[in-house]
Amino acid sequence: MKSLQYILFFVIFSSVYFFVICQNIPSPRRQQTSTIIGTKLYFFGGTTSLIKPNEVWYLDLSSSFNNATPPWYSDAAMPIGYTLGTSCLSPIDNSTVFLIGGRIWIANTNTYSYASSVYKFDSKIQQWTTPTINNFNSSFEARNEMQAVIDNNGKIFVFGGINHGNDDNITTAGYNDMTILDITTMIWSTQTQPQSVLVNIDYTATLLPNGLIVYIGGRGSKTANLHDMSQVQIFDTKSYTWSTKSASGSIIESRACHSAVLSTYTRYV
Ligand SMILES: *[C@@H]1O[C@H](CO)[C@@H](O)[C@H](O)[C@H]1NC(C)=O
Ligand SMILES: *[C@@H]1O[C@H](CO)[C@@H](O)[C@H](O)[C@H]1NC(C)=O
Ligand SMILES: *[C@@H]1O[C@H](CO)[C@@H](O)[C@H](O)[C@H]1NC(C)=O
């Protein structure tokens, strides 16, 4: 009896200890992509010091927590390591996430692969799948460093970006094309743009409720070729036309790889 108590005590004590040392905290990283699903703020993959993880983490924002010790939860891992891609939530079911482009990392061989440019995550059943895409444009295969937005009808718009080589060699020319994936039909299309539309990489893309996508900053094909932050490029998802708005006020130094969110929306630009 004594030894049984001892064993029980040991089991309970060691599982508490196990719980304490295995608290869920994602390792430091960058280049992940994030999406809000209901009250959960998810992020996918990223680049840690050594590897491109296939981890999925979220914070549940439905109850308050201490910023110093955010309660992270991990969810079903992606089939692949993932970095420098973009993601958006289906407005049709409010629970499916689409991951578009990015660098797809094969852990066993330590190389990048481009088996698919789109992955789908059903957050309700925690399942990842590779959707079948109609009319996929293979020139998009290695595309990364761009941002997607999705409209209320389920059309994903991805502007520009740049290719990433299998061997880490970055090709020189970025893109100024508009890729559209309609998630209701899974039809892919590429809208080529006039040359006057600048190549853009590592910009921010924000869809306004009136159907305009606002692109801020970013760069051209060369990393030193940063765009003017005061020349805001705007794409109209209804007419498929571009315009430029000059921003007044403070001068913001040119930059790329920043992030933007839309807060209280008061008037149309
Ligand atoms: C998805 O969310 C939007 C915005 O909150 C809402 O209008 C819509 O009814 C939701 N659709 C479903 C299927 O839950
Ligand atoms: C990648 O870039 C390096 C350095 O420029 C070059 O030596 C190598 O041949 C390139 N590899 C491929 C497959 O292009
Ligand atoms: C595929 O994308 C490339 C790059 O934007 C473009 O030049 C080409 O026209 C596209 N092909 C089709 C069939 O849309």
Side-chain angles (χ1 to χ4, degrees), residues 17-228:
Y17 181 67
F18 179 78
F19 178 75
V20 169
I21 58 167
C22 291
Q23 257 184 346
N24 277 345
I25 301 174
S27 50
R29 73 193 60 205
R30 63 202 168 101
Q31 301 168 340
Q32 65 274 27
T33 175
S34 66
T35 302
I36 288 193
I37 309 177
T39 59
K40 292 175 181 168
L41 172 54
Y42 274 80
F43 77 78
F44 304 92
T47 301
T48 61
S49 56
L50 292 174
I51 55 161
K52 325 287 181 235
N54 61 351
E55 297 162 357
V56 176
W57 292 90
Y58 68 86
L59 276 178
D60 192 341
L61 307 177
S62 61
S63 46
S64 62
F65 54 82
N66 182 345
N67 290 355
T69 53
W72 288 109
Y73 298 93
S74 59
D75 208 322
M78 293 177 277
I80 38 98
Y82 192 76
T83 183
L84 286 163
T86 179
S87 55
C88 48
L89 179 71
S90 160
I92 313 296
D93 64 9
N94 293 336
S95 62
T96 304
V97 175
F98 288 83
L99 247 59
I100 319 276
R103 301 183 191 177
I104 292 158
W105 183 252
I106 307 299
N108 300 342
T109 57
N110 279 6
T111 52
Y112 291 102
S113 152
Y114 300 99
S116 176
S117 290
V118 180
Y119 289 88
K120 201 170 138 179
F121 175 56
D122 183 335
S123 63
K124 280 199 180 128
I125 55 170
Q126 301 168 323
Q127 190 184 65
W128 285 93
T129 49
T130 307
T132 304
I133 299 169
N134 303 311
N135 302 337
F136 177 69
N137 184 336
S138 60
S139 98
F140 191 88
E141 204 174 65
R143 203 74 69 89
N144 70 170
E145 299 177 59
M146 69 290 185
Q147 295 296 324
V149 297
I150 188 163
D151 72 8
N152 290 336
N153 303 319
K155 262 191 194 166
I156 297 174
F157 294 83
V158 186
F159 182 64
I162 192 165
N163 284 345
H164 185 268
N166 269 326
D167 59 347
D168 247 344
N169 285 358
I170 295 178
T171 58
T172 48
Y175 291 90
N176 76 341
D177 55 357
M178 182 64 83
T179 295
I180 300 169
L181 174 62
D182 184 332
I183 63 160
T184 64
T185 57
M186 291 308 284
I187 293 176
W188 186 278
S189 68
T190 309
Q191 312 283 320
T192 52
Q193 307 295 321
Q195 254 186 353
S196 57
V197 176
L198 298 175
V199 163
N200 209 351
I201 302 158
D202 295 331
Y203 52 81
T204 67
T206 308
L207 178 65
L208 306 183
N210 62 359
L212 299 182
I213 309 173
V214 176
Y215 292 91
I216 301 174
R219 64 174 176 96
S221 295
K222 296 206 166 82
T223 44
N225 179 12
L226 296 170
H227 293 322
D228 184 347

